[in-house]
Amino acid sequence: MKYEILLFDADNTVLDFDKAEEQALKQAFADCNLYYDENVLTVYRRNNIKQWQLFEQGIITDKSEVLSSRFAETFKELNLEISSGKTADLYEKYLHSGFYVINNAETVLKQLQSLKCKLYLVSNGVLSIQNSRMKGSGMDKYFIKRFVSEEVGCPKPNKVYFDYCFRNIENFDKSKTLIIGDSLTSDIQGGINAEIDTCWYNPKHLANNSAILPTYEIDNLEKLISIVNSK
């Protein structure tokens, strides 16, 4: 077996964050009597991605700034003159209950466990939300440990983040380790920085116009089985 230690990103790799995000945002806007449509979601997602990328790059060092700025920027762009604070708080509340799971994720995790793989979760998400969603979805039982950047002290793709993870994995072997995630800038670049093999989960067949080159690319988690089992 080629890989024995598997590091899984959480959002949009194991858990369906897109669905949880949309439902939480829609409910938060409804509670605040704000108009909601697809454009609201598009604007919010663009600002959310921008803030998280700044966090990954170390330009923003306080995660709470990410959580507030993404809504402040969205409200400014949508010309909403009320405070964004209440909506942001409600969104966080509803996101805690976003228990949606990626297609085939549980089946694949079960198969990997049967192969005696050691599974770990690596996430930049908000600690309380990740813990709630992993437990509520039932996915927590497949992972030996969860490494969330809030506890580690820095985010993916920082090498320091991965050094921390590696120190806390029993019988760690870099040559037997693979990271699986949907983000080129966070998961794949992180794996490259940490000098481990990488697998880009890309179900939407997005174009890779960057210089970040994964070891593998898959559009279905079931394809992991043959990668892990390869010689």
Side-chain angles (χ1 to χ4, degrees):
M1 191 164 65
K2 189 167 186 177
Y3 300 105
E4 297 174 1
I5 300 170
L6 305 181
L7 311 180
F8 278 87
D9 176 47
D11 289 329
N12 287 335
T13 304
V14 175
L15 300 177
D16 190 338
F17 181 77
D18 285 348
K19 187 173 182 179
E21 176 185 59
E22 182 176 2
Q23 293 300 317
L25 191 66
K26 185 183 295 185
Q27 188 61 58
F29 266 63
D31 285 4
C32 294
N33 296 313
L34 295 173
Y35 177 76
Y36 177 90
D37 60 9
E38 285 298 314
N39 181 58
V40 171
L41 180 62
T42 299
V43 171
Y44 171 77
R45 280 182 168 163
R46 181 170 62 248
N47 285 303
N48 184 46
I49 290 169
K50 175 185 174 182
Q51 295 301 316
W52 280 110
Q53 287 179 340
L54 292 173
F55 182 67
E56 291 169 10
Q57 295 163 13
I59 297 171
I60 293 177
T61 57
D62 186 347
K63 191 175 289 185
S64 63
E65 184 178 340
V66 173
L67 307 186
S68 59
S69 294
R70 59 188 180 179
F71 274 92
E73 292 296 320
T74 296
F75 273 46
K76 180 179 178 181
E77 191 170 340
L78 294 173
N79 294 314
L80 296 174
E81 296 182 358
I82 67 169
S83 170
S84 62
K86 180 181 178 182
T87 311
D89 289 344
L90 286 167
Y91 170 79
E92 296 291 327
K93 170 188 171 183
Y94 292 125
L95 200 56
H96 277 78
S97 301
F99 303 143
Y100 312 106
V101 178
I102 290 291
N103 288 340
N104 302 321
E106 184 160 20
T107 299
V108 171
L109 294 176
K110 284 180 179 178
Q111 287 181 276
L112 292 170
Q113 273 196 339
S114 71
L115 292 171
K116 306 302 180 185
C117 292
K118 300 175 183 177
L119 311 183
Y120 297 86
L121 201 76
V122 289
S123 173
N124 280 348
V126 178
L127 180 62
S128 63
I129 293 175
Q130 296 299 55
N131 286 343
S132 174
R133 293 172 65 227
M134 289 301 295
K135 183 177 180 180
S137 65
M139 294 299 102
D140 59 335
K141 62 179 174 288
Y142 296 106
F143 296 94
I144 297 170
K145 286 183 181 177
R146 297 195 292 274
F147 298 106
V148 180
S149 61
E150 253 177 77
E151 295 179 306
V152 175
C154 65
K156 300 177 292 181
N158 196 313
K159 185 177 181 295
V160 174
Y161 172 92
F162 288 94
D163 288 342
Y164 176 93
C165 297
F166 298 165
R167 288 195 304 270
N168 288 277
I169 293 175
E170 189 175 354
N171 300 317
F172 177 73
D173 183 344
K174 187 175 285 192
S175 69
K176 293 284 188 180
T177 302
L178 179 70
I179 183 171
I180 305 98
D182 70 299
S183 170
L184 287 169
T185 57
S186 176
D187 306 309
I188 307 309
Q189 185 61 58
I192 292 169
N193 292 346
E195 300 179 324
I196 59 173
D197 285 352
T198 61
C199 181
W200 184 31
Y201 175 54
N202 184 22
K204 297 179 181 178
H205 302 108
L206 302 175
N208 181 2
N209 298 315
S210 74
I212 304 170
L213 301 178
T215 313
Y216 309 97
E217 179 179 340
I218 58 174
D219 57 7
N220 189 316
L221 289 177
E222 291 181 338
K223 294 181 179 180
L224 264 180
I225 305 301
S226 60
I227 292 173
V228 168
N229 257 331
S230 61
K231 300 294 184 180

